[in-house]
Amino acid sequence: MKFSKPGIILLTIIIINLLSSCTDVQNKKAVKILISKEKANKADMMYSDWLKRHGNVNCLYAYPMGIDSALKVLSESDGLLITGGRDVFPGNYGKIDDTSRCGSFDRYRDSLEFSLINMAIENKIPLLGVCRGEQIINVSQGGTLYIDIPTDFDTTVTHRLPGYQRAVHKVNLLPGSMISQICDVEHGDVVSNHHQGIELAGDNIRVTAYSADSLPEAIEWNDTTGLAMMIAVQWHPETMDIKNPLSAMLAKKFLNQASADNE
């Protein structure tokens, strides 16, 4: 097949552009995200897999490191993800007498995550929380939790099913909030699996999403002056459909912010 001179020039330009695009993708620096604790059950969607769906990510895991080592790694990371898990010890928010109504605890993990959250705030590292992650971020700022939603909070909304099955319910996003701007929706369905939730918001914490029973479902900073992005949700975006904006857009915003703040 013969090409005319203009055709050869056009083909050459196309090839150069393709090679340049491939080089850009290969050379793009991976975003370094420290995850407080990954899931143990490999049958579940991992938090790292969720993030990797939406960007070039290098995930590290704080829990096996020890607190001092984890803090050193965080100081060299682009973002921090605080994940779901066991109940936060109620003595951390003034309800030690209600310990018997909680599930199991991990006091080491509480200490680890409090230390990581504090460093992330002080060093202006973007912070994302999921489920327990939302709860402990709130507690770290002086907030409190409902010990057990079914007994302490009058509701017809199912936040958790027996055997830790996933429940699905609607959430409403506060107009004008950061999360409503990120996800570009007013409401939507989310996957839920928890028996505790935010009771009183901590210092500078703004509740920006609610379930139909008015239980807080998302938080962010009230005053962002001098602070990096913080957003935390009660639902489990890592288990949701990749097209759901209440999952995909959160991951993308977090990774973009982590990348932008460390260029």
Side-chain angles (χ1 to χ4, degrees), residues 102-133:
C102 295
S104 57
F105 307 117
D106 186 338
R107 301 292 297 278
Y108 162 70
R109 183 175 180 183
D110 288 351
S111 297
L112 169 68
E113 292 184 342
F114 281 134
S115 297
L116 292 173
I117 291 165
N118 289 337
M119 174 174 272
I121 294 171
E122 291 171 4
N123 289 272
K124 299 180 183 179
I125 297 171
L127 175 60
L128 177 64
V130 171
C131 197
R132 168 196 158 95

PDB file of all heavy atoms in Angstrom, residues 102-133:
ATOM      1  N   CYS A 102     -21.223  -3.129  73.490  1.00  0.00           N
ATOM      2  CA  CYS A 102     -20.480  -3.043  72.236  1.00  0.00           C
ATOM      3  C   CYS A 102     -20.058  -4.421  71.765  1.00  0.00           C
ATOM      4  O   CYS A 102     -20.226  -5.419  72.464  1.00  0.00           O
ATOM      5  CB  CYS A 102     -19.237  -2.171  72.422  1.00  0.00           C
ATOM      6  SG  CYS A 102     -19.581  -0.454  72.803  1.00  0.00           S
ATOM      7  N   GLY A 103     -19.473  -4.440  70.583  1.00  0.00           N
ATOM      8  CA  GLY A 103     -18.862  -5.659  70.085  1.00  0.00           C
ATOM      9  C   GLY A 103     -17.440  -5.760  70.619  1.00  0.00           C
ATOM     10  O   GLY A 103     -17.111  -5.198  71.665  1.00  0.00           O
ATOM     11  N   SER A 104     -16.582  -6.450  69.875  1.00  0.00           N
ATOM     12  CA  SER A 104     -15.186  -6.603  70.309  1.00  0.00           C
ATOM     13  C   SER A 104     -14.388  -5.335  69.993  1.00  0.00           C
ATOM     14  O   SER A 104     -14.769  -4.538  69.127  1.00  0.00           O
ATOM     15  CB  SER A 104     -14.551  -7.807  69.609  1.00  0.00           C
ATOM     16  OG  SER A 104     -14.636  -7.662  68.200  1.00  0.00           O
ATOM     17  N   PHE A 105     -13.280  -5.155  70.707  1.00  0.00           N
ATOM     18  CA  PHE A 105     -12.444  -3.975  70.534  1.00  0.00           C
ATOM     19  C   PHE A 105     -11.048  -4.356  70.074  1.00  0.00           C
ATOM     20  O   PHE A 105     -10.602  -5.486  70.225  1.00  0.00           O
ATOM     21  CB  PHE A 105     -12.315  -3.193  71.854  1.00  0.00           C
ATOM     22  CG  PHE A 105     -13.622  -2.839  72.487  1.00  0.00           C
ATOM     23  CD1 PHE A 105     -13.970  -3.341  73.725  1.00  0.00           C
ATOM     24  CD2 PHE A 105     -14.519  -2.007  71.838  1.00  0.00           C
ATOM     25  CE1 PHE A 105     -15.171  -3.019  74.321  1.00  0.00           C
ATOM     26  CE2 PHE A 105     -15.723  -1.681  72.417  1.00  0.00           C
ATOM     27  CZ  PHE A 105     -16.055  -2.188  73.658  1.00  0.00           C
ATOM     28  N   ASP A 106     -10.354  -3.342  69.563  1.00  0.00           N
ATOM     29  CA  ASP A 106      -8.944  -3.462  69.224  1.00  0.00           C
ATOM     30  C   ASP A 106      -8.290  -2.167  69.701  1.00  0.00           C
ATOM     31  O   ASP A 106      -8.229  -1.187  68.964  1.00  0.00           O
ATOM     32  CB  ASP A 106      -8.774  -3.660  67.719  1.00  0.00           C
ATOM     33  CG  ASP A 106      -7.328  -3.938  67.315  1.00  0.00           C
ATOM     34  OD1 ASP A 106      -6.417  -3.577  68.081  1.00  0.00           O
ATOM     35  OD2 ASP A 106      -7.121  -4.498  66.219  1.00  0.00           O
ATOM     36  N   ARG A 107      -7.830  -2.157  70.952  1.00  0.00           N
ATOM     37  CA  ARG A 107      -7.313  -0.931  71.551  1.00  0.00           C
ATOM     38  C   ARG A 107      -6.050  -0.439  70.822  1.00  0.00           C
ATOM     39  O   ARG A 107      -5.812   0.760  70.719  1.00  0.00           O
ATOM     40  CB  ARG A 107      -7.012  -1.147  73.036  1.00  0.00           C
ATOM     41  CG  ARG A 107      -8.230  -1.588  73.871  1.00  0.00           C
ATOM     42  CD  ARG A 107      -9.261  -0.488  73.997  1.00  0.00           C
ATOM     43  NE  ARG A 107      -8.755   0.672  74.699  1.00  0.00           N
ATOM     44  CZ  ARG A 107      -8.697   0.789  76.033  1.00  0.00           C
ATOM     45  NH1 ARG A 107      -9.124  -0.195  76.801  1.00  0.00           N
ATOM     46  NH2 ARG A 107      -8.222   1.887  76.582  1.00  0.00           N
ATOM     47  N   TYR A 108      -5.240  -1.384  70.339  1.00  0.00           N
ATOM     48  CA  TYR A 108      -4.063  -0.998  69.558  1.00  0.00           C
ATOM     49  C   TYR A 108      -4.482  -0.239  68.302  1.00  0.00           C
ATOM     50  O   TYR A 108      -3.895   0.803  67.962  1.00  0.00           O
ATOM     51  CB  TYR A 108      -3.235  -2.224  69.171  1.00  0.00           C
ATOM     52  CG  TYR A 108      -2.272  -1.947  68.034  1.00  0.00           C
ATOM     53  CD1 TYR A 108      -1.162  -1.135  68.211  1.00  0.00           C
ATOM     54  CD2 TYR A 108      -2.505  -2.477  66.765  1.00  0.00           C
ATOM     55  CE1 TYR A 108      -0.292  -0.866  67.161  1.00  0.00           C
ATOM     56  CE2 TYR A 108      -1.648  -2.208  65.717  1.00  0.00           C
ATOM     57  CZ  TYR A 108      -0.540  -1.405  65.916  1.00  0.00           C
ATOM     58  OH  TYR A 108       0.306  -1.121  64.876  1.00  0.00           O
ATOM     59  N   ARG A 109      -5.510  -0.749  67.623  1.00  0.00           N
ATOM     60  CA  ARG A 109      -5.947  -0.075  66.400  1.00  0.00           C
ATOM     61  C   ARG A 109      -6.480   1.327  66.704  1.00  0.00           C
ATOM     62  O   ARG A 109      -6.224   2.260  65.943  1.00  0.00           O
ATOM     63  CB  ARG A 109      -7.017  -0.910  65.681  1.00  0.00           C
ATOM     64  CG  ARG A 109      -7.435  -0.264  64.370  1.00  0.00           C
ATOM     65  CD  ARG A 109      -8.394  -1.111  63.571  1.00  0.00           C
ATOM     66  NE  ARG A 109      -8.747  -0.433  62.327  1.00  0.00           N
ATOM     67  CZ  ARG A 109      -9.607  -0.893  61.434  1.00  0.00           C
ATOM     68  NH1 ARG A 109     -10.223  -2.045  61.648  1.00  0.00           N
ATOM     69  NH2 ARG A 109      -9.865  -0.218  60.345  1.00  0.00           N
ATOM     70  N   ASP A 110      -7.220   1.471  67.794  1.00  0.00           N
ATOM     71  CA  ASP A 110      -7.691   2.804  68.185  1.00  0.00           C
ATOM     72  C   ASP A 110      -6.513   3.766  68.321  1.00  0.00           C
ATOM     73  O   ASP A 110      -6.516   4.874  67.785  1.00  0.00           O
ATOM     74  CB  ASP A 110      -8.449   2.746  69.513  1.00  0.00           C
ATOM     75  CG  ASP A 110      -9.825   2.093  69.396  1.00  0.00           C
ATOM     76  OD1 ASP A 110     -10.275   1.824  68.268  1.00  0.00           O
ATOM     77  OD2 ASP A 110     -10.451   1.863  70.445  1.00  0.00           O
ATOM     78  N   SER A 111      -5.493   3.330  69.064  1.00  0.00           N
ATOM     79  CA  SER A 111      -4.321   4.191  69.294  1.00  0.00           C
ATOM     80  C   SER A 111      -3.604   4.504  67.988  1.00  0.00           C
ATOM     81  O   SER A 111      -3.182   5.643  67.748  1.00  0.00           O
ATOM     82  CB  SER A 111      -3.348   3.507  70.266  1.00  0.00           C
ATOM     83  OG  SER A 111      -3.946   3.309  71.523  1.00  0.00           O
ATOM     84  N   LEU A 112      -3.456   3.481  67.150  1.00  0.00           N
ATOM     85  CA  LEU A 112      -2.809   3.662  65.848  1.00  0.00           C
ATOM     86  C   LEU A 112      -3.553   4.700  65.016  1.00  0.00           C
ATOM     87  O   LEU A 112      -2.949   5.651  64.486  1.00  0.00           O
ATOM     88  CB  LEU A 112      -2.757   2.328  65.106  1.00  0.00           C
ATOM     89  CG  LEU A 112      -2.341   2.376  63.633  1.00  0.00           C
ATOM     90  CD1 LEU A 112      -0.878   2.766  63.506  1.00  0.00           C
ATOM     91  CD2 LEU A 112      -2.610   1.021  62.948  1.00  0.00           C
ATOM     92  N   GLU A 113      -4.864   4.547  64.907  1.00  0.00           N
ATOM     93  CA  GLU A 113      -5.626   5.439  64.030  1.00  0.00           C
ATOM     94  C   GLU A 113      -5.727   6.847  64.591  1.00  0.00           C
ATOM     95  O   GLU A 113      -5.697   7.826  63.826  1.00  0.00           O
ATOM     96  CB  GLU A 113      -6.995   4.824  63.742  1.00  0.00           C
ATOM     97  CG  GLU A 113      -6.876   3.574  62.883  1.00  0.00           C
ATOM     98  CD  GLU A 113      -8.197   2.949  62.482  1.00  0.00           C
ATOM     99  OE1 GLU A 113      -9.228   3.250  63.121  1.00  0.00           O
ATOM    100  OE2 GLU A 113      -8.200   2.142  61.532  1.00  0.00           O
ATOM    101  N   PHE A 114      -5.828   6.998  65.913  1.00  0.00           N
ATOM    102  CA  PHE A 114      -5.803   8.343  66.490  1.00  0.00           C
ATOM    103  C   PHE A 114      -4.491   9.039  66.132  1.00  0.00           C
ATOM    104  O   PHE A 114      -4.477  10.223  65.765  1.00  0.00           O
ATOM    105  CB  PHE A 114      -5.955   8.283  68.017  1.00  0.00           C
ATOM    106  CG  PHE A 114      -7.364   8.073  68.487  1.00  0.00           C
ATOM    107  CD1 PHE A 114      -7.637   7.137  69.479  1.00  0.00           C
ATOM    108  CD2 PHE A 114      -8.423   8.799  67.964  1.00  0.00           C
ATOM    109  CE1 PHE A 114      -8.936   6.944  69.940  1.00  0.00           C
ATOM    110  CE2 PHE A 114      -9.723   8.608  68.404  1.00  0.00           C
ATOM    111  CZ  PHE A 114      -9.983   7.681  69.395  1.00  0.00           C
ATOM    112  N   SER A 115      -3.385   8.314  66.236  1.00  0.00           N
ATOM    113  CA  SER A 115      -2.074   8.896  65.922  1.00  0.00           C
ATOM    114  C   SER A 115      -1.972   9.268  64.445  1.00  0.00           C
ATOM    115  O   SER A 115      -1.464  10.347  64.088  1.00  0.00           O
ATOM    116  CB  SER A 115      -0.957   7.910  66.292  1.00  0.00           C
ATOM    117  OG  SER A 115      -0.943   7.642  67.681  1.00  0.00           O
ATOM    118  N   LEU A 116      -2.467   8.391  63.572  1.00  0.00           N
ATOM    119  CA  LEU A 116      -2.422   8.658  62.132  1.00  0.00           C
ATOM    120  C   LEU A 116      -3.302   9.849  61.767  1.00  0.00           C
ATOM    121  O   LEU A 116      -2.900  10.714  60.963  1.00  0.00           O
ATOM    122  CB  LEU A 116      -2.873   7.421  61.363  1.00  0.00           C
ATOM    123  CG  LEU A 116      -1.951   6.192  61.416  1.00  0.00           C
ATOM    124  CD1 LEU A 116      -2.628   5.006  60.753  1.00  0.00           C
ATOM    125  CD2 LEU A 116      -0.611   6.484  60.754  1.00  0.00           C
ATOM    126  N   ILE A 117      -4.500   9.904  62.319  1.00  0.00           N
ATOM    127  CA  ILE A 117      -5.423  11.013  62.029  1.00  0.00           C
ATOM    128  C   ILE A 117      -4.800  12.340  62.459  1.00  0.00           C
ATOM    129  O   ILE A 117      -4.827  13.327  61.712  1.00  0.00           O
ATOM    130  CB  ILE A 117      -6.772  10.786  62.721  1.00  0.00           C
ATOM    131  CG1 ILE A 117      -7.511   9.611  62.085  1.00  0.00           C
ATOM    132  CG2 ILE A 117      -7.640  12.051  62.665  1.00  0.00           C
ATOM    133  CD1 ILE A 117      -8.674   9.077  62.910  1.00  0.00           C
ATOM    134  N   ASN A 118      -4.229  12.368  63.649  1.00  0.00           N
ATOM    135  CA  ASN A 118      -3.617  13.604  64.145  1.00  0.00           C
ATOM    136  C   ASN A 118      -2.467  14.055  63.251  1.00  0.00           C
ATOM    137  O   ASN A 118      -2.341  15.249  62.943  1.00  0.00           O
ATOM    138  CB  ASN A 118      -3.119  13.411  65.583  1.00  0.00           C
ATOM    139  CG  ASN A 118      -4.256  13.298  66.584  1.00  0.00           C
ATOM    140  OD1 ASN A 118      -5.366  13.773  66.324  1.00  0.00           O
ATOM    141  ND2 ASN A 118      -3.998  12.660  67.717  1.00  0.00           N
ATOM    142  N   MET A 119      -1.625  13.119  62.822  1.00  0.00           N
ATOM    143  CA  MET A 119      -0.518  13.489  61.948  1.00  0.00           C
ATOM    144  C   MET A 119      -1.020  13.971  60.590  1.00  0.00           C
ATOM    145  O   MET A 119      -0.486  14.942  60.029  1.00  0.00           O
ATOM    146  CB  MET A 119       0.448  12.321  61.753  1.00  0.00           C
ATOM    147  CG  MET A 119       1.527  12.632  60.719  1.00  0.00           C
ATOM    148  SD  MET A 119       2.803  11.360  60.545  1.00  0.00           S
ATOM    149  CE  MET A 119       3.955  11.914  61.801  1.00  0.00           C
ATOM    150  N   ALA A 120      -2.033  13.299  60.053  1.00  0.00           N
ATOM    151  CA  ALA A 120      -2.578  13.713  58.766  1.00  0.00           C
ATOM    152  C   ALA A 120      -3.105  15.143  58.839  1.00  0.00           C
ATOM    153  O   ALA A 120      -2.877  15.952  57.931  1.00  0.00           O
ATOM    154  CB  ALA A 120      -3.685  12.753  58.323  1.00  0.00           C
ATOM    155  N   ILE A 121      -3.801  15.477  59.915  1.00  0.00           N
ATOM    156  CA  ILE A 121      -4.336  16.830  60.080  1.00  0.00           C
ATOM    157  C   ILE A 121      -3.200  17.840  60.208  1.00  0.00           C
ATOM    158  O   ILE A 121      -3.185  18.874  59.537  1.00  0.00           O
ATOM    159  CB  ILE A 121      -5.268  16.893  61.304  1.00  0.00           C
ATOM    160  CG1 ILE A 121      -6.516  16.036  61.060  1.00  0.00           C
ATOM    161  CG2 ILE A 121      -5.678  18.342  61.592  1.00  0.00           C
ATOM    162  CD1 ILE A 121      -7.387  15.856  62.291  1.00  0.00           C
ATOM    163  N   GLU A 122      -2.228  17.535  61.064  1.00  0.00           N
ATOM    164  CA  GLU A 122      -1.115  18.455  61.305  1.00  0.00           C
ATOM    165  C   GLU A 122      -0.263  18.675  60.060  1.00  0.00           C
ATOM    166  O   GLU A 122       0.248  19.771  59.835  1.00  0.00           O
ATOM    167  CB  GLU A 122      -0.243  17.916  62.437  1.00  0.00           C
ATOM    168  CG  GLU A 122      -0.924  17.949  63.803  1.00  0.00           C
ATOM    169  CD  GLU A 122      -0.123  17.217  64.870  1.00  0.00           C
ATOM    170  OE1 GLU A 122       0.999  16.744  64.545  1.00  0.00           O
ATOM    171  OE2 GLU A 122      -0.607  17.121  66.007  1.00  0.00           O
ATOM    172  N   ASN A 123      -0.133  17.636  59.236  1.00  0.00           N
ATOM    173  CA  ASN A 123       0.734  17.716  58.062  1.00  0.00           C
ATOM    174  C   ASN A 123      -0.038  17.959  56.763  1.00  0.00           C
ATOM    175  O   ASN A 123       0.531  17.866  55.682  1.00  0.00           O
ATOM    176  CB  ASN A 123       1.573  16.446  57.948  1.00  0.00           C
ATOM    177  CG  ASN A 123       2.632  16.353  59.018  1.00  0.00           C
ATOM    178  OD1 ASN A 123       3.737  16.851  58.863  1.00  0.00           O
ATOM    179  ND2 ASN A 123       2.293  15.726  60.134  1.00  0.00           N
ATOM    180  N   LYS A 124      -1.321  18.259  56.899  1.00  0.00           N
ATOM    181  CA  LYS A 124      -2.169  18.590  55.744  1.00  0.00           C
ATOM    182  C   LYS A 124      -2.140  17.490  54.678  1.00  0.00           C
ATOM    183  O   LYS A 124      -1.971  17.740  53.488  1.00  0.00           O
ATOM    184  CB  LYS A 124      -1.747  19.928  55.139  1.00  0.00           C
ATOM    185  CG  LYS A 124      -1.870  21.087  56.117  1.00  0.00           C
ATOM    186  CD  LYS A 124      -1.445  22.407  55.497  1.00  0.00           C
ATOM    187  CE  LYS A 124      -1.519  23.531  56.515  1.00  0.00           C
ATOM    188  NZ  LYS A 124      -1.088  24.824  55.959  1.00  0.00           N
ATOM    189  N   ILE A 125      -2.332  16.256  55.150  1.00  0.00           N
ATOM    190  CA  ILE A 125      -2.401  15.093  54.267  1.00  0.00           C
ATOM    191  C   ILE A 125      -3.873  14.763  54.044  1.00  0.00           C
ATOM    192  O   ILE A 125      -4.623  14.611  55.011  1.00  0.00           O
ATOM    193  CB  ILE A 125      -1.684  13.887  54.899  1.00  0.00           C
ATOM    194  CG1 ILE A 125      -0.197  14.192  55.083  1.00  0.00           C
ATOM    195  CG2 ILE A 125      -1.865  12.629  54.046  1.00  0.00           C
ATOM    196  CD1 ILE A 125       0.553  13.157  55.903  1.00  0.00           C
ATOM    197  N   PRO A 126      -4.352  14.666  52.796  1.00  0.00           N
ATOM    198  CA  PRO A 126      -5.759  14.332  52.536  1.00  0.00           C
ATOM    199  C   PRO A 126      -6.198  13.068  53.272  1.00  0.00           C
ATOM    200  O   PRO A 126      -5.455  12.074  53.320  1.00  0.00           O
ATOM    201  CB  PRO A 126      -5.805  14.152  51.022  1.00  0.00           C
ATOM    202  CG  PRO A 126      -4.703  15.046  50.529  1.00  0.00           C
ATOM    203  CD  PRO A 126      -3.609  14.929  51.553  1.00  0.00           C
ATOM    204  N   LEU A 127      -7.399  13.123  53.823  1.00  0.00           N
ATOM    205  CA  LEU A 127      -7.890  12.077  54.720  1.00  0.00           C
ATOM    206  C   LEU A 127      -9.273  11.611  54.282  1.00  0.00           C
ATOM    207  O   LEU A 127     -10.173  12.433  54.073  1.00  0.00           O
ATOM    208  CB  LEU A 127      -7.939  12.642  56.145  1.00  0.00           C
ATOM    209  CG  LEU A 127      -8.532  11.795  57.265  1.00  0.00           C
ATOM    210  CD1 LEU A 127      -7.770  10.484  57.431  1.00  0.00           C
ATOM    211  CD2 LEU A 127      -8.506  12.595  58.572  1.00  0.00           C
ATOM    212  N   LEU A 128      -9.426  10.299  54.147  1.00  0.00           N
ATOM    213  CA  LEU A 128     -10.704   9.697  53.771  1.00  0.00           C
ATOM    214  C   LEU A 128     -11.043   8.615  54.793  1.00  0.00           C
ATOM    215  O   LEU A 128     -10.189   7.808  55.178  1.00  0.00           O
ATOM    216  CB  LEU A 128     -10.610   9.075  52.373  1.00  0.00           C
ATOM    217  CG  LEU A 128     -11.833   8.340  51.826  1.00  0.00           C
ATOM    218  CD1 LEU A 128     -13.005   9.299  51.657  1.00  0.00           C
ATOM    219  CD2 LEU A 128     -11.512   7.662  50.500  1.00  0.00           C
ATOM    220  N   GLY A 129     -12.306   8.610  55.266  1.00  0.00           N
ATOM    221  CA  GLY A 129     -12.742   7.610  56.228  1.00  0.00           C
ATOM    222  C   GLY A 129     -13.920   6.809  55.712  1.00  0.00           C
ATOM    223  O   GLY A 129     -14.780   7.354  55.016  1.00  0.00           O
ATOM    224  N   VAL A 130     -13.969   5.525  56.054  1.00  0.00           N
ATOM    225  CA  VAL A 130     -15.061   4.633  55.655  1.00  0.00           C
ATOM    226  C   VAL A 130     -15.589   3.902  56.890  1.00  0.00           C
ATOM    227  O   VAL A 130     -14.819   3.259  57.615  1.00  0.00           O
ATOM    228  CB  VAL A 130     -14.587   3.602  54.607  1.00  0.00           C
ATOM    229  CG1 VAL A 130     -15.663   2.552  54.367  1.00  0.00           C
ATOM    230  CG2 VAL A 130     -14.207   4.283  53.306  1.00  0.00           C
ATOM    231  N   CYS A 131     -16.890   4.008  57.145  1.00  0.00           N
ATOM    232  CA  CYS A 131     -17.593   3.306  58.218  1.00  0.00           C
ATOM    233  C   CYS A 131     -16.954   3.591  59.581  1.00  0.00           C
ATOM    234  O   CYS A 131     -17.061   4.701  60.093  1.00  0.00           O
ATOM    235  CB  CYS A 131     -17.679   1.812  57.914  1.00  0.00           C
ATOM    236  SG  CYS A 131     -18.935   0.953  58.917  1.00  0.00           S
ATOM    237  N   ARG A 132     -16.282   2.628  60.194  1.00  0.00           N
ATOM    238  CA  ARG A 132     -15.569   2.900  61.443  1.00  0.00           C
ATOM    239  C   ARG A 132     -14.637   4.101  61.270  1.00  0.00           C
ATOM    240  O   ARG A 132     -14.432   4.888  62.199  1.00  0.00           O
ATOM    241  CB  ARG A 132     -14.756   1.673  61.852  1.00  0.00           C
ATOM    242  CG  ARG A 132     -13.754   1.948  62.994  1.00  0.00           C
ATOM    243  CD  ARG A 132     -12.710   0.842  63.097  1.00  0.00           C
ATOM    244  NE  ARG A 132     -11.508   1.325  63.770  1.00  0.00           N
ATOM    245  CZ  ARG A 132     -11.275   1.173  65.071  1.00  0.00           C
ATOM    246  NH1 ARG A 132     -12.150   0.563  65.842  1.00  0.00           N
ATOM    247  NH2 ARG A 132     -10.154   1.641  65.599  1.00  0.00           N
ATOM    248  N   GLY A 133     -14.083   4.238  60.063  1.00  0.00           N
ATOM    249  CA  GLY A 133     -13.194   5.357  59.794  1.00  0.00           C
ATOM    250  C   GLY A 133     -13.880   6.700  60.017  1.00  0.00           C
ATOM    251  O   GLY A 133     -13.283   7.635  60.568  1.00  0.00           O
TER     252      GLY A 133
END
